Amino acid sequence: MKRVFPFMGAISLIAALCLPSCQAVSSNETDDVVYLNVYNSADYINEEADYYEENPLSGNAGLLAEFERYCQEEYGTTVIVNYSTFDTNETMLSELKTGKASYDLVCPSDYVIQKMIREDMIEPFDEGSTPNYDQYVSPFVYEKMSEIEINGEKGLVNDYARGYMWGTLGLLYNNNLTTLSTKKFSITPEEMDEDMTDWASLWDDKYHNLLSIKDSVRDTYAAGILYTYTDDFQLDGKEFEGLATLKEKHDDGTYDDDTYNKKVTEIFNMCDDITLNRVGDNLKKLKENSFGFEVDSGKTDMIVGNKFAINLAWSGDAAYSMDNLDEFIESGTIEGEEVDTTTTNYANLKYVLPETGANIWFDGWVMPKGANKVWASRFVDFFSTPEYTAENMEYIGYTPVIAGDAILDLVQSWYDERYVEEEVDDEGNVIVEGGMDYDALDKDNPEFEEEYYTKDISYFFEGTLEEKEERDCEFYLSLESQGKQFDTQYPDKDILPRLAVMADFGGQNASMLLMWESVKNTVLPTWFYIVVAAGVLVVAGFIVSYYVRKAVVKNRRKARKEARKQA
Amino acid sequence: MSMKSNDIQEQSFQPKEILLEGIEVVKDEKESKKRVRGIHRPKTNSKALLKSLSLPFALFLILFVLFPILFIVFYAFTDANGFFTFNAFISFFTNTVKLNVLLISVLIGVLNTVLCLLITFPLAYLLANPKINKNYMLVMLFIMPMWINFVLRTGALRDLLTIILSAFGTTTGEHPLFCTMVGMVINYIPFTILPLYSTMLKLDKSQIEAARDLGCNPVKTFTKSIIPQAMPGIVSASMMVFMPTISSYVISDTLSEGKIMLFGNSIYLSFSQSDWNGGSFMSLIMLIIIFIVMFATRKFENAGSERGVSAW
C-alpha cells in the first residue's frame, strides 16, 4: 500500500494536468451579482482610493470601484470585479493555455493578441457593444491596429480587441554626462542630441559602456534589425532598399507616407534565418559595446544618471523617468534648500525616436473563450469614456488610445504654455480660474520663436472632439520641453510614417530564442576550453586509477586469502 | 618559556576531558535507551506510534519533493501536446550554447566554492579558537547578512560597487565577472562559515600537537592533520555553495548587468518563453548533477555525521 500511494497520486495529478480542465464558468450570474474576472499588467489601472473610495463589497478602489457603482446605478446590477495582475505576457499566455484560470477580460500586447486570434483563444466583440470606444478611439491608433495582418487578413484585430494604451520604443538618454560616476566622457549635449537620432550610435565606440539595452528578445531585436538593415541589402537573391534609402526617398517625395510605412514595416518584421543570423551577430557586438541588459532597473537608474546615459526604453517608462526626475528636482527646492545648479548635478533626460524607424506598440482588451461578453464589453466601454480615461491616464502615465475633449483638456493643462493654473485663496474662493488663455502668446510675434514652438497633434484627436470646428490641437510649447514628456507621449506628426508595429514571430519563435541565448552566452577563448578539457581528463584519470588500484589490491587480498585457505 | 609550558599543559589536559565526557555521554545514552525500551513503553505500541508520527513528514516529502520531481521528469520527456519524446534531450545536447552556459556555470560554481573556502577556512579556524573568540557573537556577526533579504542585499551591493569602481574610473558594466564573483562570495560566505566553524570546534588538538611534536613543519601539520580532520566540514560547505551558485539567478543577473548567463538564467528564459519541456529537461540536468555530487561526497558525509557534523 505504501508503495502504491505516491504512484497513484502522481498519475492522478498528471492526468488532471493533461485533461482539459473542467472548471465551472467563473463569471456566473447568481442572485443578480456578476463576478467579472479581469487580468491586467501590474500598475496598469487606477486603483487609488484618492479618486474613488473603496467599495466595501468588493474591496476595489479607484476606477474599479467607480465602475461597480456605475453598474449599480445604470443597470441595477451588482458587479464585483475580481482584478488580478500578471508580470509578463508570456506568463499570462501560458496560464490561459493550461487552463489554470478563466478570465472575462485580459489586456495583452499587440503581438500576443495576434497570437491569440491565430490560435482561436479569444471571442470577438459584438458590433456596437462598445459605443464609447467606437466614438472616442483615436483614428490614428485604430488605423495602426487595422493594418496588422493575421493569416493574410487585415482588420481582424479591431474585431477581437479594444485598444487600451499605446506607445513607442525609442532611446531615453541623458545628455548631461557629468552625472556619471566615471567622469571620463566628454561628449557635448548638442553632439549627443544629434547622435541619438541614429541607431548606429549604439554600436559606436564613442558610447562604449554608456548604454543599456532591454533584457527581452523582442525589444532588443527591434533595435538590432533597424541597425542591420539601414543600408541596402540582399536577401535570398533579392535586392532590398535599406531604411536609410527609404527615408531619403520619403523625404524627396518618391514614396508617400503609406508606401514608406509599409516598406519600413516589412523590413521591421523580417525574421527569417538569414536575417536572424545577421541581427544576432550585430547584437553580440551591441552587447560588447553596452553597459548591460535590464528590463526594470533602467528607468530608475536613468533618474540618478550615474551608471549609464542611454537606455532603450518604452515611452511610458521614459515619461515615468522624466516625471520622477522633475519631482526630484522640485522637491529639492520645496524643502527650504534652493537647488544650486553648480553643486547639484541633475540628469537631463530626453526621449527620441531615431530617424530611420522605430517601434510602435499597443495593449488591448480581449475576451478569452467562455467570457461574460456583455459585462466585459461594458467594462471596456466604461474605461473608454474620455473623462474616466483621463483619470486613468493621470495615474498610470502611459498614453491611452482614447482621444476626446477630456483627454485634450488634461494634456493641455500639463503641457501647453498658455494654460493658466487655477488659484484659490484660503477660504476656497477661486481667484484665477484655471483653463486655457488662448491670447497669452502670439505666435506671429518675432520673439515667439526664440522661446517657443508649436506642435499640432490633431492626428490623434481627429473626429473625437465635440467642438470640432473651434478647437484646434495646436500646442504652444517652450523650446526646453523638446524631447520631454509631451514628445514622449505624443510623437510628432512627421515621425508617424516611420513607426512600425512588430508582429508575432510565429514559427520563428524557437529560432529567435536560440539566437537570443547565443547573444547572451559568454564565449571564452579557445585555449581556455582546452585547459578545462585537460583538467577534466586529469581528474578523471586520477579517479579511474584510484579505483583500478583499489580493485587490484582487493583482488590480490582475495587471492592471498584463498591461497591461505588452500594451504 | 612560561607561556609555552602553560600552553602545553592546557592542551595536554584537554583530550582527557573530552575523552571522559564522551564516555559519559555514551553511557548516559545507553542507559536512557534501556529505560525507555524496558519499562515505560510496550514494544508493539511504540513502533506503530512512531510510524504514525512520521506520516506528516512522509506526506510533506511526497507532496513537495516527489511530485515536483515527477513533474519535471514528465515534462522533460514530453512535447507541448503531452506525448513522449526525446526532443528536449536531443536539443539540449546538440546545442553548443546551452552546453557552454552549463560549463560556465560549473566553472563559476567551482571558482566561487574555492574562493569561499579560501576566505572562510582561516576565519573559521580563528573563530573556533577560544582565545580569540570568547563567545558566539562574532560567528553570529558573520551569519547576520543572511537575515536580510538577499535580493535587497544584491541591489545594495550593485550601488556600492558602482561607487567603489568609480574611484578607479570604471563601472560595474565593464567588469561583469568581477562584480558577479564579489556578489557570489559575499552571499555564500555565511553558508560556508557555519559548517567549517563547527568542524573546527571539534578539531582534535592532541593530534595536531602530536604532529608537531613528531617533527612536522607547520605546512605539513596543516596538510596532514588539520585538513583531513576538517574534511567533513569542507565537503558540506562546498555542497552548500556549489549547487546554489550554478542555479543562482538574481546575483548574476543584477551584478553582471545581465551579461553573464548562468544555468539558472537559461532555465528561467525557457520557462518565460513557455518552452516548458526544454526548461524541465535542464532542471532535470541540475537534479542529476546534484545526485552525482551527493554520491561523490557520500563518504565524507558519513564520516561527518560520525563526528557530529552534518550539512546543518
Side-chain angles (χ1 to χ4, degrees):
Chain A
M1 192 56 211
K2 221 180 179 183
R3 259 186 220 164
V4 171
F5 173 69
F7 186 54
M8 297 258 290
I11 286 182
S12 64
L13 253 181
I14 289 172
L17 203 89
C18 302
L19 291 170
S21 62
C22 343
Q23 251 176 331
V25 182
S26 50
S27 54
N28 41 4
E29 288 176 49
T30 43
D31 300 336
D32 276 350
V33 175
V34 178
Y35 292 95
L36 197 65
N37 299 325
V38 180
Y39 204 28
N40 198 353
S41 298
D43 289 327
Y44 219 32
I45 213 160
N46 184 337
E47 287 179 275
E48 277 288 294
D50 292 355
Y51 289 81
Y52 297 100
E53 272 177 28
E54 192 179 296
N55 179 356
L57 209 60
S58 64
N60 288 324
L63 282 175
L64 290 176
E66 175 66 5
F67 171 67
E68 287 160 349
R69 189 201 59 77
Y70 166 81
C71 289
Q72 191 75 55
E73 202 173 83
E74 187 78 19
Y75 305 102
T77 316
T78 312
V79 174
I80 290 180
V81 180
N82 289 329
Y83 185 76
S84 41
T85 58
F86 56 84
D87 297 334
T88 63
N89 281 299
E90 282 68 27
T91 47
M92 182 273 298
L93 202 60
S94 61
E95 228 173 273
L96 279 186
K97 273 187 182 167
T98 50
K100 269 187 229 157
S102 61
Y103 295 97
D104 297 304
L105 261 187
V106 185
C107 185
S109 300
D110 43 23
Y111 69 103
V112 178
I113 296 176
Q114 230 180 317
K115 204 178 199 165
M116 288 169 119
I117 295 175
R118 203 174 284 149
E119 293 181 11
D120 199 22
M121 291 171 71
I122 48 178
E123 296 268 359
F125 279 83
D126 289 332
E127 212 165 295
S129 62
T130 53
N132 274 322
Y133 178 85
D134 297 342
Q135 187 181 345
Y136 292 113
V137 64
S138 159
F140 162 70
V141 182
Y142 190 84
E143 181 146 349
K144 277 278 167 206
M145 283 169 75
S146 68
E147 276 168 14
I148 297 173
E149 265 188 29
I150 296 162
N151 300 335
E153 204 178 327
K154 277 186 181 179
L156 272 181
V157 173
N158 278 321
D159 295 341
Y160 282 87
R162 294 289 179 262
Y164 185 49
M165 297 283 160
W166 70 285
T168 51
L169 175 80
L171 293 174
L172 174 68
Y173 65 98
N174 162 22
N175 67 13
N176 178 12
L177 292 182
T178 52
T179 61
L180 287 166
S181 62
T182 50
K183 313 259 181 227
K184 59 185 174 189
F185 297 95
S186 54
I187 305 165
T188 60
E190 291 75 27
E191 195 182 351
M192 201 157 168
D193 285 347
E194 187 164 342
D195 284 346
M196 285 305 113
T197 57
D198 189 0
W199 286 108
S201 302
L202 297 186
W203 277 261
D204 193 341
D205 238 7
K206 195 158 106 185
Y207 294 103
H208 183 70
N209 265 317
L210 265 184
L211 55 109
S212 151
I213 43 183
K214 286 271 168 277
D215 197 357
S216 96
V217 198
R218 292 180 59 86
D219 303 297
T220 303
Y221 185 79
I225 193 152
L226 288 170
Y227 168 71
T228 308
Y229 287 152
T230 305
D231 300 323
D232 297 356
F233 60 96
Q234 271 188 329
L235 195 69
D236 282 338
K238 258 172 88 182
E239 289 280 344
F240 283 90
E241 283 168 322
L243 292 162
T245 322
L246 289 178
K247 183 188 160 12
E248 266 171 41
K249 289 203 174 173
H250 175 246
D251 287 348
D252 67 21
T254 318
Y255 293 137
D256 61 4
D257 288 355
D258 279 348
T259 333
Y260 177 54
N261 188 264
K262 233 175 244 166
K263 289 194 180 252
V264 172
T265 310
E266 189 195 347
I267 292 179
F268 193 57
N269 280 299
M270 285 180 174
C271 58
D272 53 285
D273 289 336
I274 301 168
T275 309
L276 270 182
N277 263 336
R278 289 177 186 166
V279 176
D281 288 343
N282 279 331
L283 289 185
K284 279 173 198 164
K285 284 178 208 154
L286 181 61
K287 181 191 173 188
E288 289 310 309
N289 204 35
S290 72
F291 175 86
F293 298 87
E294 55 78 36
V295 268
D296 221 26
S297 57
K299 58 181 176 194
T300 40
D301 283 337
M302 284 305 286
I303 301 170
V304 185
N306 62 343
K307 294 191 177 74
F308 47 83
I310 306 164
N311 188 8
L312 186 64
W314 297 290
S315 52
D317 283 354
Y320 169 91
S321 299
M322 290 175 196
D323 282 344
N324 275 278
L325 179 66
D326 288 348
E327 246 171 62
F328 193 44
I329 295 172
E330 262 173 43
S331 67
T333 47
I334 287 168
E335 281 161 22
E337 287 170 63
E338 252 178 60
V339 176
D340 184 2
T341 40
T342 50
T343 53
T344 323
N345 200 2
Y346 291 114
N348 181 26
L349 295 182
K350 283 188 172 185
Y351 180 78
V352 67
L353 298 167
E355 276 177 350
T356 48
N359 177 217
I360 178 170
W361 54 263
F362 59 86
D363 295 343
W365 297 109
V366 295
M367 300 185 290
K369 292 264 158 163
N372 185 343
K373 280 177 80 166
V374 176
W375 286 100
S377 307
R378 282 176 185 164
F379 183 91
V380 172
D381 203 45
F382 174 84
F383 277 89
S384 304
T385 330
E387 288 73 26
Y388 290 126
T389 305
E391 282 169 11
N392 215 8
M393 180 185 188
E394 223 176 331
Y395 175 76
I396 309 171
Y398 276 88
T399 322
V401 302
I402 299 298
D405 288 288
I407 301 288
L408 186 57
D409 286 342
L410 181 70
V411 180
Q412 273 181 335
S413 78
W414 279 346
Y415 303 120
D416 202 304
E417 289 294 328
R418 296 167 297 176
Y419 183 79
V420 185
E421 294 273 343
E422 189 181 75
E423 274 180 46
V424 186
D425 66 5
D426 297 338
E427 286 154 17
N429 301 320
V430 178
I431 308 169
V432 182
E433 252 182 72
M436 292 295 289
D437 176 10
Y438 285 102
D439 303 323
L441 292 168
D442 178 18
K443 74 171 171 180
D444 297 327
N445 192 332
E447 280 167 28
F448 179 83
E449 276 180 27
E450 282 169 26
E451 278 181 63
Y452 303 99
Y453 71 105
T454 60
K455 171 167 165 173
D456 191 16
I457 54 165
S458 52
Y459 72 86
F460 188 79
F461 289 95
E462 235 169 355
T464 63
L465 300 174
E466 270 166 34
E467 316 149 47
K468 276 167 200 145
E469 309 209 340
E470 279 173 54
R471 197 147 189 195
D472 62 9
C473 303
E474 198 169 49
F475 281 65
Y476 287 27
L477 306 150
S478 75
L479 283 176
E480 283 166 17
S481 68
Q482 253 173 331
K484 296 281 186 187
Q485 282 95 326
F486 186 53
D487 283 344
T488 308
Q489 290 193 310
Y490 296 96
D492 278 357
K493 197 178 186 321
D494 51 332
I495 290 177
L496 303 180
R498 63 174 189 249
L499 297 180
V501 179
M502 187 176 242
D504 178 38
F505 297 136
Q508 284 295 85
N509 250 332
S511 320
M512 189 67 83
L513 199 63
L514 287 179
M515 182 275 292
W516 183 243
E517 252 182 310
S518 74
V519 169
K520 298 246 6 220
N521 180 29
T522 320
V523 183
L524 303 167
T526 324
W527 61 262
F528 195 86
Y529 290 106
I530 296 170
V531 169
V532 169
V536 169
L537 279 180
V538 167
V539 171
F542 266 112
I543 292 172
V544 168
S545 70
Y546 172 78
Y547 279 105
V548 166
R549 223 183 284 161
K550 214 172 157 186
V552 167
V553 170
K554 221 180 185 179
N555 275 345
R556 266 187 212 152
R557 268 188 205 149
K558 236 185 192 175
R560 256 183 239 151
K561 255 187 194 173
E562 271 171 25
R564 256 182 235 156
K565 259 185 194 172
Q566 277 178 359
Chain B
M1 275 304 281
S2 63
M3 281 278 282
K4 234 183 186 178
S5 64
N6 263 344
D7 272 353
I8 290 166
Q9 266 187 343
E10 244 185 60
Q11 280 169 351
S12 57
F13 274 120
Q14 265 180 346
K16 274 183 193 169
E17 282 168 19
I18 289 171
L19 224 73
L20 279 172
E21 270 174 24
I23 289 164
E24 272 171 25
V25 167
V26 171
K27 267 184 186 169
D28 267 347
E29 265 180 19
K30 271 185 183 169
E31 274 173 19
S32 63
K33 265 183 191 169
K34 264 183 195 169
R35 246 180 263 140
V36 169
R37 270 187 204 157
I39 303 161
H40 292 296
R41 274 183 210 151
K43 229 179 187 178
T44 44
N45 250 354
S46 76
K47 258 193 179 173
L49 189 74
L50 280 176
K51 267 194 177 175
S52 67
L53 274 178
S54 71
L55 203 67
F57 183 62
L59 257 173
F60 177 87
L61 274 184
I62 289 165
L63 265 179
F64 297 112
V65 179
L66 194 68
F67 272 178
I69 292 178
L70 280 175
F71 277 134
I72 290 175
V73 175
F74 173 78
Y75 275 111
F77 291 104
T78 48
D79 59 12
N81 300 319
F83 295 114
F84 179 80
T85 170
F86 277 116
N87 273 351
F89 178 88
I90 295 163
S91 65
F92 178 80
F93 283 106
T94 52
N95 188 343
T96 50
V97 171
K98 285 193 167 146
L99 291 174
N100 190 46
V101 170
L102 181 58
L103 176 73
I104 286 174
S105 310
V106 170
L107 290 177
I108 287 187
V110 170
L111 184 61
N112 188 27
T113 314
V114 170
L115 285 175
C116 279
L117 286 178
L118 279 181
I119 294 169
T120 43
F121 196 87
L123 205 63
Y125 188 73
L126 292 176
L127 285 176
N129 189 338
K131 273 187 213 154
I132 294 162
N133 180 23
K134 294 243 163 30
N135 51 32
Y136 196 56
M137 268 315 283
L138 264 178
V139 184
M140 284 320 273
L141 280 179
F142 279 100
I143 300 164
M144 239 166 62
M146 275 207 315
W147 300 343
I148 305 165
N149 180 305
F150 100 113
V151 178
L152 291 181
R153 243 185 302 150
T154 311
L157 187 64
R158 178 166 173 253
D159 279 324
L160 188 69
L161 279 170
T162 307
I163 295 169
I164 294 171
L165 287 179
S166 70
F168 298 95
T170 172
T171 52
T172 51
E174 273 174 87
H175 302 281
L177 182 66
F178 171 76
C179 293
T180 310
M181 287 325 294
V182 169
M184 291 277 187
V185 169
I186 288 178
N187 265 297
Y188 284 105
I189 270 184
F191 290 93
T192 49
I193 212 158
L194 263 192
L196 280 177
Y197 173 71
S198 54
T199 35
M200 293 295 182
L201 279 180
K202 294 183 175 66
L203 279 189
D204 189 350
K205 298 252 167 55
S206 59
Q207 200 197 59
I208 300 166
E209 186 75 11
R212 253 184 233 157
D213 277 358
L214 295 172
C216 278
N217 56 13
V219 177
K220 254 196 169 165
T221 320
F222 182 72
T223 52
K224 296 281 177 189
S225 174
I226 297 179
I227 286 202
Q229 285 192 67
M231 211 53 198
I234 295 174
V235 168
S236 65
S238 314
M239 296 254 304
M240 298 298 294
V241 175
F242 181 65
M243 288 316 295
T245 307
I246 293 182
S247 61
S248 72
Y249 161 65
V250 176
I251 300 176
S252 59
D253 215 41
T254 316
L255 293 174
S256 75
E257 307 294 343
K259 279 179 169 176
I260 291 179
M261 186 156 76
L262 295 188
F263 209 51
N265 303 66
S266 187
I267 293 174
Y268 171 77
L269 190 65
S270 295
F271 278 109
S272 72
Q273 297 292 325
S274 41
D275 176 18
W276 288 31
N277 308 103
S280 296
F281 188 78
M282 284 194 273
S283 314
L284 193 65
I285 295 277
M286 284 285 305
L287 269 177
I288 291 169
I289 297 175
I290 291 177
F291 282 129
I292 289 173
V293 172
M294 272 168 67
F295 186 78
T297 56
R298 173 182 54 141
K299 219 171 92 186
F300 299 105
E301 281 294 299
N302 288 343
S305 60
E306 272 164 28
R307 292 183 133 265
V309 181
S310 63
W312 62 287

